[in-house]
Amino acid sequence: MADDGVAEKKTPGEKSSLAKKDGEDSAFSLVTVDDDVFMRFPIANTSVADHLRNIRNMPMREDDIVIAAFPKCGTHWMWEVTQMLTKGKAEHDCRPKEMVMLEFNPMEDFESVPSPRVINSHLFPRHLPKEVVTKRSRVVNVIRNPKDAAVSMYFHLLQMKGFQGIGVPDFARGFLHGGISPGSYFDYFAHIKEMTQWQREHPEVPVINIYYEDAKKDLVKCVRQLAEFLKVDASDQLCGDIADQCSFNKLKQADETVKVKDKSPAKEQFKDGSMSMFRKGEFTLTETKAGT
């Protein structure tokens, strides 16, 4: 991570099939910090370089929980499950997960969040708060089949300002080669590789690896495993109720009716201010023909 004085530089839109050209309104205004490419985080009056530095220096609490995953791999899903487990209630959180997402909020906003804080992020481990290691925060690492993650990301991007709408096959080929920039915030395989290496280097940090496909196959079992990892007292009844409330259809319904989306810092990145985090929750071969 950069020391003080590191500056960001604009990454021309022409380098990415996802971004509009410079000067146009786009959710994909890209910047480079220490050779890493990031989208411009929606933090008022703060550069991406400064925000990344603030994240690294963010004070953590010993009971903090960090949901870490590449985009569209089940972050929102496991965030809801974890929230319910820590509260001991199978009730949806009215906040969009972006309200406690490291990339989208100034660090002072996290100070008022009651413990245990369930924070989430798509950042690489090297960009997470340093005190995740020293305070040994619990980390929930969510992993999804790259094929499904790519398709889900494609349809998610269709909702956002500035997406060029390339066909799924072209998008998938780019995804396989590192997305916008190999090794960057948008590189699925680099993210998996670094998270694996980070766990080897920091065995003292408690991490649970949750596989999207395993959770989809048996969510009750996943909830039980997560409860054990978090060391929370969760009865079989509660685990079953949480699994029921966190089924795809009920999460989608809650996203449409319960979430206070006007407070989401990500809202302005979406076309017409509308945003949906849930589409189908599965992959179908017919969708690979979309946009061709």
Side-chain angles (χ1 to χ4, degrees), residues 9-249:
K9 58 184 178 181
K10 182 177 289 186
T11 301
E14 291 84 358
K15 286 188 177 181
S16 168
S17 59
L18 303 184
K20 283 189 177 182
K21 294 181 179 180
D22 295 342
E24 294 186 83
D25 182 24
S26 174
F28 296 98
S29 176
L30 305 177
V31 295
T32 300
V33 180
D34 285 353
D35 296 323
D36 279 339
V37 178
F38 299 87
M39 62 180 177
R40 189 173 294 282
F41 305 132
I43 309 295
N45 304 316
T46 304
S47 69
V48 173
D50 286 341
H51 187 54
L52 288 169
R53 198 174 297 116
N54 292 339
I55 290 173
R56 283 292 281 169
N57 294 321
M58 174 182 169
M60 298 293 287
R61 304 170 190 168
E62 292 182 355
D63 60 353
D64 280 338
I65 302 164
V66 179
I67 312 294
F70 189 78
K72 309 310 296 180
C73 287
T75 313
H76 196 145
W77 193 14
M78 287 304 116
W79 180 76
E80 284 280 12
V81 171
T82 304
Q83 286 281 5
M84 292 182 188
L85 281 170
T86 58
K87 294 176 181 177
K89 297 180 181 180
E91 297 177 357
H92 297 108
D93 197 306
C94 66
R95 300 171 299 172
K97 73 171 177 61
E98 294 79 23
M99 291 184 66
V100 280
M101 190 171 191
L102 292 175
E103 294 92 308
F104 286 177
N105 299 275
M107 297 302 96
E108 55 266 25
D109 286 3
F110 292 91
E111 295 174 4
S112 61
V113 178
S115 295
R117 297 183 297 187
V118 183
I119 300 166
N120 69 93
S121 177
H122 298 318
L123 291 170
F124 278 52
R126 67 180 179 274
H127 297 129
L128 293 175
K130 290 179 286 187
E131 287 195 356
V132 167
V133 174
T134 58
K135 293 291 180 65
R136 300 186 181 183
S137 304
R138 296 187 184 279
V139 176
V140 180
N141 178 37
V142 193
I143 306 166
R144 188 180 188 184
N145 182 312
K147 173 187 67 177
D148 297 351
V151 172
S152 183
M153 178 180 287
Y154 176 82
F155 284 97
H156 179 82
L157 293 176
L158 288 178
Q159 303 178 70
M160 302 184 74
K161 296 176 181 177
F163 182 59
Q164 296 282 25
I166 62 174
V168 173
D170 287 338
F171 176 84
R173 278 190 286 271
F175 183 92
L176 290 171
H177 290 88
I180 289 173
S181 178
S184 78
Y185 182 82
F186 304 93
D187 189 334
Y188 169 95
F189 299 99
H191 189 283
I192 294 291
K193 182 178 180 180
E194 182 169 320
M195 178 58 78
T196 301
Q197 183 61 31
W198 183 83
Q199 291 183 51
R200 292 195 187 107
E201 294 173 353
H202 299 287
E204 72 277 18
V205 180
V207 180
I208 185 172
N209 296 306
I210 299 289
Y211 292 88
Y212 185 102
E213 292 74 22
D214 289 344
K216 188 173 179 180
K217 182 178 180 180
D218 190 344
L219 185 54
V220 174
K221 180 179 179 181
C222 172
V223 174
R224 288 196 187 105
Q225 291 174 335
L226 190 53
E228 182 178 351
F229 170 73
L230 298 174
K231 298 186 182 303
V232 299
D233 186 15
S235 66
D236 288 344
Q237 180 67 47
L238 178 60
C239 290
D241 290 345
I242 290 175
D244 176 64
Q245 289 300 313
C246 289
S247 65
F248 180 83
N249 288 336

